[in-house]
Amino acid sequence: MSKLFHFSGTDDFCPRGSIYPNPKESSLLLSLGRHVDVYFPSRKRSRVSAPFVFSGERFEQKKPSIELLPDECLFEIFRRLPGGKERSACACVSKRWLTLVSNIRIDEISDNKTTEALNIKGVDSEIEDQDVEGGGYLSRSLEGKKATDVRLAAVAVGTATRGGLGKLFIRGNNSSRGVTTVGLRAISRGCPSLRVLSLWNLSSVGDEGLREIADGCHQLQKFDLCHCPAITNESLLAIAKGCPDLTDLTIEGCANIGNEGIQAIARCCPNLKSLSIKDCPHVGDLGIASLLTSVSFSLTKVKLQALNISDVSLAVIGHYGKAMTDLYLAGLPNVSEKGFWVMGNGHGLQKLKSFTVKACLGVTDLGLEAVGKGCPNLKQFCLSKCALLSDNGLVSFAKSAGSLESLELEECHRVTHFGFFGSLLNCGPKFKAISIVNCLGIRDLNLRLPLSHGESLRSLSIRNCPGFGDANLAALGKLCPQLQNVDLSGLHGVTDAGFLSLLESCEAGLVKVNLSGCLNLSDKAVCKMADSHGWTLEMLNIDCCCKISDVSLIAVAENCQLISELDVSKCAITDSGITALARSSMINLQILSVAGCTMISDKSLPSIAKLGQNLLGLNLQQCKGISSGAIDLLVEQLWRCDILF
């Protein structure tokens, strides 16, 4: 054999010599058949999947790549990775890998026994996936252009092992590249702990996407669906079956949702506590009635707005609303006086505490009196744009609602000063706040009223009522001596005389005062208020009171030790007033607004900087006397303060 290994000559196997530098290895003798044995060099076996490319006169072999594997193989690899950190790293490689990783369900993730074996042998794998999975502690929000399938897939992968996604809010813009079924499928598979889902303005989301959510997110409790035109009753059917623990449901602007979907919720979600339906033309009495009768012992909050329901729905509410505490009815054109009368006499709203009615022509004196009698525990009542309500109905309601604490009237033009003062005189001892907004029927008349009857009233708000003047204000001061919060914004008929009479009658001390838009008030009223109520005053708004000058700021600086919020926008304030505020060692302002004060200049910069040591908010908008350089300097110095300029 040695001669064979050292053989040379013209009869060599290879004419140019041995084919090996060291041909003494017996393992190189390979058989190619029965009759021929040749030497062949040792080498690694080539990958079958690696293609050859012909270039010139030789073949070139491409480097092997994992991208050549089909999706099924990559999916099996990804689900066998030891933990979420590794899967997240893989998801960052490409959109293809992100899509594959995001489609792995939690129950499809395989336990890595190889990693456990290595750990037993002492190999440190440093797997950091011991985080709590499925807790649902994280919250994510996607808005506008950021609301895409790719971002949803990234959210699903990133939150899966970091506490779990509990709340997801998506505010789309109805673009062509918005959220589709693909993104919602990723959420359903990677976020089974999802409890709150809010979808707004998503025209590309249909029933298939919500079916994915229903199949994977069985812990869903709160679901908001607003302005999603492609959603139909099929989605609500799937949500009802897949998410029986649903407690809060909001549907708005979904024209394809009707009674069938609402009935499915009624059958499958016995724990529903809050319901809000707005602008859904196909939802009628059948859906509302079936829902209220099915969850009468759990439903506490109901909001019905712009629906084609009739008196039947209100009758059902009055009879089956046994657990209801909050009721909101707005824009119901088919509801008449009979509906409110039957609802009040149904004796089912014994627990109702808050009731709001807006733009319902069915609210009349008779119906409102029945509501007051049928809701003995009502505390907050709001009426807006009820054109048929008059003084008699308001006074009758005040007499029957003995537990009422707060009353708000807005754009009820048939209510006059007689109804306003009559409700104050007839409300119970728990009545604390009244608000009258833009009621054109109120006039300023001298009335003989009993003294100190409304001692429980603490908050008074009369806004944008052009007929309200000094006489009414003086009467209110005598009737309600314990006022603490006063809002008289937009009352052009109030002068110093009326406001001073109110100040003289207030015994408890004013805490919050809003006089914005009271054009006829001057420094006399503000100085008197600072002198007599400065020991309790915390907030003062005299925006657009053009007769207010530096004199008022000096009085505030000297007397108001507790004031934290001051708005003197568009007043006759100069640098001297700002200096007086800065010199005071007693006040501790947190919010200051001098917007539109054109007489303030750069000279106030040191004073504003001194005040800014405690300020959290500063409004310098439309202060034309302050240069941009001074504002830049303030922004640099007052880094803790939110500055508007």
Side-chain angles (χ1 to χ4, degrees):
M1 291 296 292
S2 61
K3 292 182 179 181
L4 178 61
F5 286 130
H6 291 83
F7 180 82
S8 64
T10 58
D11 295 331
D12 285 345
F13 290 109
C14 293
R16 297 183 181 179
S18 174
I19 60 176
Y20 296 117
N22 183 17
K24 292 186 177 181
E25 298 195 18
S26 58
S27 62
L28 300 180
L29 187 60
L30 301 178
S31 176
L32 297 180
R34 298 181 180 179
H35 309 290
V36 182
D37 288 338
V38 297
Y39 292 101
F40 200 82
S42 62
R43 63 183 67 184
K44 294 181 179 179
R45 290 188 300 171
S46 300
R47 290 179 58 92
V48 178
S49 61
F52 288 90
V53 178
F54 181 77
S55 177
E57 297 182 354
R58 64 176 184 174
F59 289 96
E60 293 182 356
Q61 185 178 7
K62 280 187 176 180
K63 294 182 178 180
S65 173
I66 195 173
E67 288 291 343
L68 299 173
L69 293 177
D71 290 347
E72 293 80 5
C73 294
L74 289 176
F75 183 87
E76 292 298 326
I77 292 174
F78 293 153
R79 79 181 188 90
R80 284 173 169 78
L81 291 175
K85 181 179 180 181
E86 288 76 8
R87 287 188 293 275
S88 297
C90 290
C92 296
V93 173
S94 64
K95 289 185 179 180
R96 179 195 177 196
W97 285 28
L98 173 61
T99 303
L100 290 172
V101 174
S102 64
N103 277 287
I104 302 176
R105 298 181 184 272
I106 298 297
D107 55 1
E108 291 177 339
I109 297 176
S110 177
D111 295 333
N112 199 314
K113 298 181 179 180
T114 305
T115 303
E116 295 178 0
L118 291 175
N119 289 336
I120 294 175
K121 295 180 181 180
V123 179
D124 185 13
S125 61
E126 296 185 357
I127 298 176
E128 299 180 357
D129 267 331
Q130 303 301 326
D131 301 334
V132 178
E133 298 187 8
Y137 306 113
L138 302 180
S139 176
R140 295 292 183 267
S141 178
L142 302 179
E143 298 184 6
K145 295 181 179 180
K146 294 182 179 180
T148 61
D149 290 337
V150 174
R151 289 185 179 269
L152 281 181
V155 167
V157 174
T159 60
T161 55
R162 290 172 174 82
L165 184 65
K167 299 179 180 180
L168 177 61
F169 305 92
I170 306 176
R171 303 290 189 270
N173 55 4
N174 288 325
S175 63
S176 58
R177 300 182 60 184
V179 175
T180 65
T181 302
V182 177
L184 294 183
R185 181 184 296 117
I187 294 297
S188 68
R189 298 190 176 186
C191 308
S193 60
L194 189 66
R195 296 192 300 270
V196 178
L197 177 62
S198 180
L199 305 178
W200 284 61
N201 295 329
L202 299 176
S203 59
S204 54
V205 171
D207 294 333
E208 185 179 355
L210 288 187
R211 278 196 293 266
E212 292 286 347
I213 293 294
D215 291 340
C217 303
H218 301 298
Q219 300 181 29
L220 192 65
Q221 297 178 357
K222 184 177 181 180
F223 183 43
D224 294 348
L225 189 64
C226 302
H227 301 290
C228 298
I231 299 300
T232 68
N233 290 323
E234 297 296 328
S235 295
L236 286 188
L237 289 172
I239 292 293
K241 293 179 181 179
C243 309
D245 295 332
L246 196 68
T247 58
D248 290 27
L249 176 62
T250 299
I251 305 174
E252 179 179 342
C254 298
N256 292 321
I257 290 181
N259 293 327
E260 184 180 353
I262 304 299
Q263 287 175 319
I265 297 293
R267 290 193 303 267
C268 304
C269 302
N271 298 320
L272 192 67
K273 296 180 180 179
S274 176
L275 173 69
S276 176
I277 306 178
K278 177 182 178 181
D279 195 17
C280 296
H282 292 101
V283 175
D285 293 328
L286 183 60
I288 299 300
S290 62
L291 182 62
L292 290 172
T293 54
S294 299
V295 294
S296 59
F297 292 99
S298 63
L299 193 63
T300 58
K301 297 182 179 179
V302 174
K303 179 179 180 180
L304 305 177
Q305 184 173 358
L307 302 179
N308 293 322
I309 60 175
S310 66
D311 297 335
V312 175
S313 294
L314 265 65
V316 174
I317 291 175
H319 185 73
Y320 289 96
K322 299 177 181 179
M324 199 174 298
T325 59
D326 296 80
L327 179 60
Y328 184 102
L329 304 176
L332 306 178
N334 298 327
V335 174
S336 66
E337 177 186 72
K338 180 180 179 181
F340 283 95
W341 185 87
V342 174
M343 182 178 67
N345 287 281
H347 302 292
L349 299 176
Q350 300 294 312
K351 296 183 179 180
L352 189 66
K353 296 181 179 180
S354 176
F355 189 18
T356 299
V357 183
K358 294 186 177 182
C360 292
L361 295 178
V363 177
T364 61
D365 297 343
L366 181 62
L368 191 61
E369 182 180 2
V371 169
K373 294 179 179 179
C375 306
N377 294 306
L378 187 64
K379 295 182 178 180
Q380 299 177 354
F381 189 48
C382 175
L383 288 171
S384 176
K385 299 180 180 180
C386 297
L388 301 181
L389 178 65
S390 67
D391 295 336
N392 294 330
L394 187 61
V395 174
S396 299
F397 172 80
K399 291 179 179 179
S400 57
S403 300
L404 191 65
E405 296 180 0
S406 174
L407 175 64
E408 180 178 347
L409 299 178
E410 181 178 0
E411 296 188 32
C412 297
H413 302 306
R414 292 189 63 184
V415 175
T416 67
H417 47 281
F418 293 107
F420 170 65
F421 284 102
S423 61
L424 287 179
L425 293 173
N426 290 279
C427 279
K430 298 180 180 180
F431 193 60
K432 298 179 180 179
I434 188 170
S435 175
I436 309 294
V437 182
N438 195 20
C439 292
L440 304 182
I442 295 181
R443 296 288 184 267
D444 193 34
L445 297 176
N446 291 317
L447 300 174
R448 294 183 178 181
L449 300 174
L451 301 179
S452 301
H453 185 83
E455 294 184 355
S456 62
L457 194 69
R458 297 292 185 271
S459 178
L460 172 67
S461 178
I462 312 292
R463 293 176 287 162
N464 300 321
C465 296
F468 198 93
D470 292 340
N472 288 339
L473 200 58
L476 276 175
K478 297 177 181 179
L479 189 64
C480 310
Q482 301 299 322
L483 285 176
Q484 295 180 347
N485 302 324
V486 175
D487 186 352
L488 305 177
S489 54
L491 299 185
H492 299 169
V494 173
T495 65
D496 290 342
F499 189 68
L500 290 176
S501 62
L502 177 68
L503 293 177
E504 293 175 357
S505 302
C506 291
E507 302 173 356
L510 296 177
V511 178
K512 296 181 180 180
V513 178
N514 186 353
L515 304 174
S516 62
C518 295
L519 304 179
N520 294 316
L521 290 181
S522 66
D523 291 326
K524 183 179 180 181
V526 177
C527 291
K528 178 63 176 178
M529 177 176 57
D531 181 55
S532 57
H533 298 272
W535 56 284
T536 57
L537 193 62
E538 297 179 2
M539 189 278 286
L540 175 61
N541 186 343
I542 47 179
D543 180 19
C544 294
C545 296
C546 54
K547 296 182 180 180
I548 303 297
S549 66
D550 295 336
V551 177
S552 296
L553 285 190
I554 295 174
V556 169
E558 292 177 352
N559 298 285
C560 302
Q561 302 180 12
L562 300 179
I563 192 166
S564 59
E565 183 176 347
L566 178 62
D567 190 343
V568 292
S569 301
K570 299 179 182 180
C571 295
I573 303 300
T574 66
D575 296 330
S576 300
I578 302 300
T579 302
L581 285 178
R583 287 177 179 175
S584 176
S585 59
M586 297 186 298
I587 64 174
N588 186 19
L589 281 177
Q590 295 183 354
I591 298 177
L592 174 63
S593 178
V594 293
C597 297
T598 57
M599 291 184 287
I600 297 178
S601 65
D602 290 348
K603 295 180 181 179
S604 298
L605 184 63
S607 300
I608 295 177
K610 184 178 179 181
L611 288 170
Q613 296 177 359
N614 299 317
L615 283 179
L616 300 177
L618 176 62
N619 190 349
L620 299 175
Q621 291 178 322
Q622 300 179 1
C623 292
K624 300 179 180 179
I626 301 179
S627 63
S628 58
I631 291 179
D632 293 339
L633 185 59
L634 281 176
V635 172
E636 182 179 352
Q637 292 179 352
L638 308 180
W639 55 271
R640 294 177 61 252
C641 181
D642 185 11
I643 302 178
L644 299 177
F645 55 88

